[in-house]
Amino acid sequence: MRSPTVTPKLQRIAAQAAHDPECVFTTLAHLIDEDFLREAYRHTSKSSAAGIDGVTAQMYAEHLEENLRDLHELLRSGSYQAAPVERVWIEKDDGGRRPIGKPVFEDKIVQRAVAMLLEAIYEQDFYDCSYGFRQGRSPHEALHELRERCMREGIGWIVDADVSGYFDSIDRTRLREGLRQRVNDGRVLRLIGKWLRAGVMDAGVLTHPETGVVQGGVISPIRANIFLHDVLDEWCEREVRPRMKGRGFLIRFADDFVIGCELEGDARRIMAVLPKRFARCGLRMHPTKTALIAFRKPEAHQGADQRNGTCDLLGLTHYWSRSRRGFWVIKRRTARKRLCRAKKALWRWCHTNRHAPLKYQYHMLCLKLRGHFRYYGIRGNFRLLEEVRRYAEKAWRYWLSRRSSKSPTHWEKFQKLLETYVLPTPKIVHNI
């Protein structure tokens, strides 16, 4: 539930945006008062890491009302300054590294407040094909839509696209121009500009990138959605679909998207023009991860040389297979890269925490396994869920046996331990 003073503001903005798609909002910043900041604070994650100032959510909450009052005064007077974002790196499936930013907590609150205003407006503009970082929408809805439309509309070809370094490649000038089409409030645009120009602190070195937005910032998802709404969603809806000879669809979750086509000719034309479209907008398609995939129902094949491909989206591999009754259906399983990543993460965690108390290790392993099962627990994927559980047992036993050379944990001893500390059993959560 939102605050009773904040909710009517957002509802009025949303209603006006829905009623008049051409409306440009020029007075929004005055809505960010102390109540609005308090609501933004409530919706800001309290568990994320602190920024370069070291202030955590718990520290900020000790004098919450005073801090929010001071923050509102800074915003009202125009004295607010954005702090640089601390950058950390996480490993990717392909061996590379992805940069993640950690803004200071006070910046997160202001970013959440501005994001709430932008979401109220742009939720009326976004198409149904967009699922990422939107209230009431989830990755599994996108996965369900992909499966159902492929089966229902006779989709035979999939354009599986990947954008190289999307968040770091966003053209800031084009982003501002896109924002001004709906939001032309100088104070709001200046706030967004301050976050873009605040700089990045990486290993103690401050830099000021000319392009991109910080991945990990509170406002980054809505900015990225606005940018791709213009670059991809609108383009597909207004230019691509009217020229297609067969049926087709776009499904997008943030920068991860697929385009389904009934006819091969449509798919090949899209495949040819897509990199040019993205290049004009300052983005680059990944040369090896972007592919055209034959994804037809196997009975429709005309020859043995025409093999069917698989389609990966949001960590799950989609493929045609026969159901128990003998009908051709699309099934899903954990994508190979995600499966390897989950196993490596379990192995590293057991290695790093092998000397921690046994109850703590058990509790954390249960949380990790349940989280994995909640996402990947899709009908037809039980075997790979069980594989992850067995691997967790293997990794746990291996590193427990290396806690001490004097009393290693042998198989019999570990089996007795598992009678007390029973790891969670895989469950099918999404039964479609």
Side-chain angles (χ1 to χ4, degrees), residues 230-285:
D230 176 47
V231 172
L232 180 64
D233 302 355
E234 288 252 353
W235 174 70
C236 279
E237 188 68 23
R238 297 186 179 183
E239 297 187 32
V240 175
R241 289 188 65 180
R243 291 177 170 87
M244 293 178 67
K245 297 180 180 179
R247 290 177 291 187
F249 62 81
L250 165 69
I251 293 176
R252 180 174 69 82
F253 192 96
D255 61 325
D256 195 359
F257 67 93
V258 295
I259 300 175
C261 299
E262 182 182 9
L263 303 178
E264 181 179 358
D266 289 337
R268 293 200 178 278
R269 283 192 293 272
I270 292 172
M271 189 69 179
V273 75
L274 194 61
K276 299 175 185 176
R277 167 65 181 176
F278 273 62
R280 284 198 298 271
C281 302
L283 301 175
R284 187 173 69 90
M285 306 302 298

Side-chain angles (χ1 to χ4, degrees), residues 44 65 81-82 133 166 182 190 230 263 271 308 319 354-355 361 366 396 417 426:
T44 302
E65 294 304 319
Q81 294 296 325
F133 308 115
Y166 171 63
R182 275 302 232 169
R190 280 194 293 274
D230 176 47
L263 303 178
M271 189 69 179
N308 215 27
Y319 63 99
R354 64 189 183 278
H355 295 299
Q361 292 190 46
C366 286
W396 199 21
L417 182 146

Side-chain angles (χ1 to χ4, degrees), residues 170-177 196-197 209-213:
I170 291 178
D171 186 327
R172 295 180 179 179
T173 302
R174 190 181 182 97
L175 175 61
R176 290 191 199 95
E177 291 173 354
L196 291 173
R197 296 189 301 270
E210 295 295 324
T211 60
V213 299

Side-chain angles (χ1 to χ4, degrees), residues 32-58:
I32 305 178
D33 54 17
E34 286 187 40
D35 284 341
F36 207 97
L37 289 172
R38 192 175 296 106
E39 184 69 10
Y41 164 82
R42 198 169 70 83
H43 286 272
T44 302
S45 173
K46 312 300 187 297
S47 59
S48 53
I52 60 170
D53 62 354
V55 176
T56 63
Q58 290 72 27

Side-chain angles (χ1 to χ4, degrees), residues 344-356:
K344 286 180 182 178
L346 285 169
W347 187 268
R348 283 197 301 267
W349 191 90
C350 290
H351 177 201
T352 305
N353 296 274
R354 64 189 183 278
H355 295 299

Side-chain angles (χ1 to χ4, degrees), residues 132-263:
F133 308 115
R134 295 179 61 188
Q135 263 193 339
R137 293 190 156 222
S138 70
H140 288 95
E141 289 181 344
L143 293 165
H144 177 68
E145 184 72 4
L146 172 62
R147 179 181 185 272
E148 292 303 306
R149 295 197 69 169
C150 282
M151 293 178 62
R152 185 174 66 244
E153 299 180 9
I155 298 300
W157 298 85
I158 296 286
V159 177
D160 189 359
D162 186 275
V163 184
S164 294
Y166 171 63
F167 282 87
D168 292 332
S169 305
I170 291 178
D171 186 327
R172 295 180 179 179
T173 302
R174 190 181 182 97
L175 175 61
R176 290 191 199 95
E177 291 173 354
L179 279 168
R180 286 195 184 98
Q181 293 177 10
R182 275 302 232 169
V183 178
N184 201 17
D185 184 323
R187 290 169 64 188
V188 171
L189 293 177
R190 280 194 293 274
L191 281 175
I192 294 173
K194 287 178 180 181
W195 295 321
L196 291 173
R197 296 189 301 270
V200 175
M201 186 72 73
D202 191 349
V205 179
L206 180 63
T207 58
H208 295 273
E210 295 295 324
T211 60
V213 299
V214 176
Q215 187 173 357
V218 174
I219 200 170
S220 297
I222 181 65
R223 286 190 302 201
N225 262 345
I226 292 170
F227 191 76
L228 269 184
H229 171 75
D230 176 47
V231 172
L232 180 64
D233 302 355
E234 288 252 353
W235 174 70
C236 279
E237 188 68 23
R238 297 186 179 183
E239 297 187 32
V240 175
R241 289 188 65 180
R243 291 177 170 87
M244 293 178 67
K245 297 180 180 179
R247 290 177 291 187
F249 62 81
L250 165 69
I251 293 176
R252 180 174 69 82
F253 192 96
D255 61 325
D256 195 359
F257 67 93
V258 295
I259 300 175
C261 299
E262 182 182 9
L263 303 178

Side-chain angles (χ1 to χ4, degrees), residues 89-99 341 344 348:
W89 297 85
I90 59 173
E91 292 185 7
K92 296 171 64 176
D93 295 337
D94 58 6
R97 297 193 304 165
R98 176 182 286 112
R341 186 172 75 180
K344 286 180 182 178
R348 283 197 301 267

